Amino acid sequence: MHILVAILTVLGAVAVWYYRLRMIGGAAKEIGRAAEGVINAPRKFAFMQRARQNGLKGVEDPREAAAILLALVAGVRRGEAIGDEARATIIAETSQQFELDEEEAEALVTHAAWMVRDVDVPLSVAATMSRTIINTPGIGPKELVDLDSMLVAVSEAGGPPQSDQLQLLQAYRDRAGLRA
C-alpha cells in the first residue's frame, strides 16, 4: 500500500510541475507577443502619423501607390478587411516585383489597407494612384505591364474577378495606356 501511495505522490508532483511549466510557457509566449507588438509599434505609429498628415493625396512613392491599387482590387473598402488569399497574393507579388522581404511586404500591405479603410469611391482613388505611378520618373512600359499583371493576379486570388475589380483594372489600364 505504501508503494501505491508513493507512486501517486510522485505522479501528483509531476503533474503539478507539468502544470507550472505549461503556465510559464504560456506566459513566455504572451511576453513574446507583447515584445513583438512593442518592436512593431514605431513602424505602425509612423504609418498612422504619415497617413493622418497627408492622407491619400500625399502618396508620392510609386510602390505605396501600387500597394494601394492592389488593396483596392483586393476588395478593401469601408468596413471590409482584406481576404487571406488576396493578402498572400499581394505579399508574394510585392515581394517579387519590389524586391522586398516578407516583413517589408507585410508592412506595405498593412499600410495600404489602412490607407483605404475609409474609401467610398475606389475609382477616383485608383485614378489618383495610377497617375502617381505613371508620372514617376523611371517608370516605363515594362513596369506598367508588370503592375497590370500584379493587379490581375490579385483580382483572381479569390476566384473569378468581380465587376468592381474589373472596373478598377480598366481604370488603371486606361490611365496607363494599356490594352487588355
Side-chain angles (χ1 to χ4, degrees):
M1 186 69 169
H2 64 285
I3 295 175
L4 183 61
V5 170
I7 291 174
L8 289 176
T9 303
V10 168
L11 287 176
V14 168
V16 166
W17 280 105
Y18 175 74
Y19 175 75
R20 287 183 178 177
L21 289 175
R22 282 189 49 138
M23 295 304 289
I24 291 170
K29 286 180 185 177
E30 192 64 36
I31 290 170
R33 279 190 224 113
E36 187 176 303
V38 169
I39 288 170
N40 290 331
R43 182 182 311 146
K44 176 183 174 184
F45 291 130
F47 281 152
M48 290 171 54
Q49 179 68 19
R50 190 166 41 128
R52 200 176 311 119
Q53 288 175 349
N54 300 328
L56 288 169
K57 293 178 183 163
V59 174
E60 295 177 358
D61 181 7
R63 293 184 307 174
E64 183 180 4
I68 289 171
L69 271 174
L70 291 167
L72 288 172
V73 170
V76 177
R77 303 283 186 280
R78 182 179 288 275
E80 292 186 35
I82 191 167
D84 292 336
E85 293 171 352
R87 181 179 207 83
T89 303
I90 294 172
I91 290 171
E93 292 288 330
T94 55
S95 294
Q96 180 184 2
Q97 294 294 331
F98 301 157
E99 298 176 357
L100 301 173
D101 63 27
E102 189 172 332
E103 185 177 315
E104 291 171 329
E106 178 75 33
L108 184 63
V109 171
T110 301
H111 174 64
W114 193 82
M115 290 288 285
V116 298
R117 73 195 181 290
D118 293 331
V119 169
D120 287 327
V121 185
L123 283 174
S124 66
V125 175
T128 303
M129 295 303 116
S130 298
R131 193 176 324 112
T132 300
I133 294 165
I134 294 163
N135 293 336
T136 301
I139 301 289
K142 180 193 179 313
E143 289 81 11
L144 296 175
V145 171
D146 288 346
L147 179 56
D148 183 61
S149 66
M150 292 170 68
L151 292 167
V152 169
V154 170
S155 71
E156 295 173 346
Q162 304 296 317
S163 64
D164 60 334
Q165 291 173 316
L166 294 173
Q167 286 177 337
L168 290 168
L169 283 170
Q170 193 59 48
Y172 168 74
R173 288 174 178 158
D174 290 344
R175 289 274 180 185
L178 301 175
R179 300 283 176 241

